[in-house]
Amino acid sequence: MKVRLIKSWQEQLADEFAKPYFEVLAKFVRDEYQEFSCYPPGKDIFTAFDLCPFDKVRVVILGQDPYHGPGQAHGLCFSVPDGITHPPSLINILKELQQDMGKPYPQSGALTPWVQQGVLLLNATLTVRAGQAGSHQKKGWEPFTDAVIDKLSTHAKGLVFMLWGNYAKQKGKHIDRNKHLVLEAGHPSPLSANRGLWFGNKHFSKANTYLVEQGKTAIDW
């Protein structure tokens, strides 16, 4: 697995690519993609980074691993390409956005416009075997994405981190909460949302209020 990232991320993560764990991870991913159907397509594994330069990040939304159904995953957590049916978690995210910001429910589930404004849509695990949620967990992606969070926490200031669900909250230990805003809620999946742990969190408006207080531009969600 050759990693070609835009310059800003390459500079931040070069040390990670040189570590033994990443070499093991790269071999695992290569073997999996050769033997099985895996998502997202190889060219999209690092899309979240390629579309959102390090120095442009304003908000980080953390997911667990990519969608494992055909055509769904395209390298951005919770997002699906144009024309793909919205998965349940995405439906609940967009419903909360609708309630919080008064936005009409969108036809497209592609969250690319967010990314282009500095929202890093980062999965903790960047790949998955088709039909097998969590199948690429504990293979090396977690220390890599921990390093991503640590770099952002250390070298940036005034970011918003949205941690949805227990898995994402555990990754929050790498964030300096004196420098950044950390927003936590239940996972947007129906299981969590139906237990009252998701709707009404108002993360989108809270993020914008904080960004403006930091002298930054609000996100057009």
Side-chain angles (χ1 to χ4, degrees):
M1 180 175 60
K2 292 182 180 179
V3 181
R4 295 189 183 94
L5 293 183
I6 58 174
K7 185 179 178 182
S8 64
W9 281 108
Q10 194 75 42
E11 290 173 347
Q12 292 291 334
L13 299 172
D15 290 349
E16 294 303 308
F17 299 141
K19 291 180 179 178
Y21 86 84
F22 198 87
E23 186 177 340
V24 173
L25 169 64
K27 183 181 185 307
F28 168 77
V29 172
R30 277 196 305 270
D31 292 347
E32 282 284 298
Y33 272 70
Q34 286 173 3
E35 189 171 350
F36 304 100
S37 292
C38 294
Y39 303 122
K43 66 180 177 58
D44 293 334
I45 292 174
F46 294 98
T47 291
F49 302 94
D50 291 334
L51 297 184
C52 191
F54 183 87
D55 55 340
K56 301 297 184 186
V57 176
R58 291 189 283 155
V59 178
V60 181
I61 298 178
L62 191 63
Q64 192 159 334
D65 56 1
Y67 295 125
H68 54 270
Q72 293 178 313
H74 65 146
L76 307 173
C77 75
F78 296 112
S79 178
V80 293
D82 285 336
I84 298 296
T85 300
H86 300 182
S89 291
L90 178 58
I91 290 172
N92 286 338
I93 289 169
L94 297 174
K95 283 182 177 179
E96 172 60 25
L97 175 60
Q98 201 176 12
Q99 293 174 15
D100 183 15
M101 303 290 291
K103 290 275 192 177
Y105 189 95
Q107 193 169 18
S108 173
L111 304 180
T112 314
W114 296 4
V115 180
Q116 292 167 340
Q117 298 175 75
V119 180
L120 181 67
L121 297 176
L122 178 67
N123 275 313
T125 302
L126 299 189
T127 56
V128 69
R129 193 185 293 182
Q132 298 184 37
S135 50
H136 287 187
Q137 291 177 7
K138 299 181 180 177
K139 303 297 183 182
W141 281 126
E142 289 87 353
F144 175 74
T145 50
D146 282 348
V148 172
I149 295 169
D150 183 65
K151 294 284 187 184
L152 287 165
S153 177
T154 301
H155 298 294
K157 186 179 180 182
L159 303 184
V160 180
F161 290 84
M162 296 183 181
L163 308 181
W164 299 339
N166 290 333
Y167 190 88
K169 290 173 188 176
Q170 290 169 13
K171 303 279 278 189
K173 64 181 181 288
H174 297 276
I175 303 167
D176 183 345
R177 297 177 188 231
N178 294 317
K179 290 172 61 182
H180 308 285
L181 176 65
V182 178
L183 299 172
E184 298 185 352
H187 196 275
S189 67
L191 179 64
S192 178
N194 292 341
R195 290 162 50 208
L197 301 176
W198 169 251
F199 289 112
N201 64 62
K202 298 189 180 298
H203 280 191
F204 302 103
S205 58
K206 288 176 181 177
N208 278 354
T209 298
Y210 178 78
L211 290 172
V212 171
E213 288 172 350
Q214 298 295 310
K216 302 180 181 183
T217 307
I219 303 293
D220 180 7
W221 301 104

